[in-house]
Amino acid sequence: MTERQPLFGIELDPLTMDETIQRCLDAVRDGRQLEIGVVNAAKLVNMRRDPRLAQAVAGCDLVLADGQAVVWAGRILRAPLPERVAGIDLFLRLLAEAESAGVSVYFLGAKQDVLEQMLRRVADRFPRLRVAGSRNGYFDDSQQEAIADGIADSGAQMLFLGMTSPKKEIFTAAYGERTGARVVHGVGGSFDILAGVTKRAPGAWQRWGMEWLYRVLQEPRRLGRRYLTTNAAFLLMTARELIRLTPSPASANRSH
């Protein structure tokens, strides 16, 4: 087992994409559940403000660096992570693996029309994929138990939640085990991207950690202030951690 790396008060799994995929396939094969949590800069900031979100993420079996900024912060703060494991890339890889292995999947999230459009595109892209069921992501807390039971009844081995934080993390923490799915992965806005409702940033933007800016340019009024605020807070968090880890000149001299 790879030793976890502590970063901003949470322990992350330093896995590559291929290693993560293998962990997921092993969980399906062995009949045990694997709940996946992914963190980017914004979520790490929000976890400081929302104890329920922090607790839900910390309780996941795997916690992965979804954002490039998290990988960079890990290098600076002596908690190296091998690479970014983007939630949407993991999602697509798992769909491909599920199709080839005959593993059944369930999709939970998005608006009904977006979900239906995504299902059509998924069927075109993965024609042999076994879809056990699907449901939109608009429901009251009182419905969560019945939804989890419906997923369990479907026999789905992989569950993908296309919902926003902290709703998907809280649902997973409370009812993930009840769903009976072997792999539970919260994929955020990936349903919208697969449905063609929103565009993903080009590869170069992703490599430079600028996906957030690409999203802001698409929806400046809705996302501009949010991303600028969380990015500034993340930079401040990183600077504080670096100061905490850096020995003062006086303590450095005493060590000699």
Side-chain angles (χ1 to χ4, degrees), residues 41-246:
K43 189 182 290 185
L44 285 168
V45 169
N46 290 331
M47 284 166 62
R48 291 280 175 99
R49 303 167 180 169
D50 186 343
R52 287 184 72 193
L53 174 60
Q55 185 178 12
V57 173
C60 290
D61 301 296
L62 287 184
V63 182
L64 306 166
D66 176 52
Q68 187 61 45
V70 179
V71 176
W72 290 336
R75 291 174 188 166
I76 294 168
L77 300 175
R78 306 171 207 163
L81 303 164
E83 66 182 21
R84 175 192 185 201
V85 182
I88 185 168
D89 294 330
L90 178 58
F91 178 31
L92 292 171
R93 283 282 304 272
L94 287 173
L95 289 179
E97 294 288 349
E99 180 188 35
S100 61
V103 171
S104 59
V105 304
Y106 193 105
F107 300 105
L108 175 63
K111 296 178 181 177
Q112 186 63 34
D113 59 333
V114 173
L115 178 64
E116 290 171 1
Q117 175 65 10
M118 186 206 70
L119 289 171
R120 287 192 289 270
R121 292 195 172 201
V122 165
D124 289 340
R125 189 165 179 174
F126 306 101
R128 299 187 313 279
L129 180 67
R130 292 173 54 200
V131 179
S134 63
R135 193 201 187 284
N136 67 60
Y138 289 79
F139 51 84
D140 297 326
D141 289 350
S142 61
Q143 298 174 274
Q144 291 186 113
E145 188 173 315
I147 290 169
D149 288 341
I151 296 167
D153 291 342
S154 77
Q157 296 163 285
M158 291 186 180
L159 168 62
F160 301 104
L161 299 100
M163 302 187 296
T164 57
S165 294
K167 186 173 183 178
K168 66 177 181 290
E169 288 85 4
I170 291 170
F171 177 86
T172 299
Y175 296 101
E177 186 174 354
R178 192 178 181 113
T179 67
R182 299 311 180 199
V183 174
V184 181
H185 178 25
V187 300
S190 298
F191 287 13
D192 287 356
I193 294 172
L194 261 64
V197 174
T198 58
K199 282 185 66 178
R200 193 180 182 194
W205 291 62
Q206 296 174 39
R207 288 189 294 274
W208 284 99
M210 301 298 285
E211 275 186 290
W212 66 272
L213 180 58
Y214 191 85
R215 288 199 65 199
V216 167
L217 293 174
Q218 291 183 81
E219 299 182 79
R221 287 190 175 183
R222 188 174 76 87
L223 299 176
R225 182 178 177 83
R226 183 198 306 177
Y227 273 108
L228 290 174
T229 301
T230 54
N231 285 355
F234 183 74
L235 287 172
L236 185 59
M237 279 170 53
T238 305
R240 284 175 174 164
E241 284 294 304
L242 184 59
I243 291 168
R244 188 180 66 81
L245 291 171
T246 304

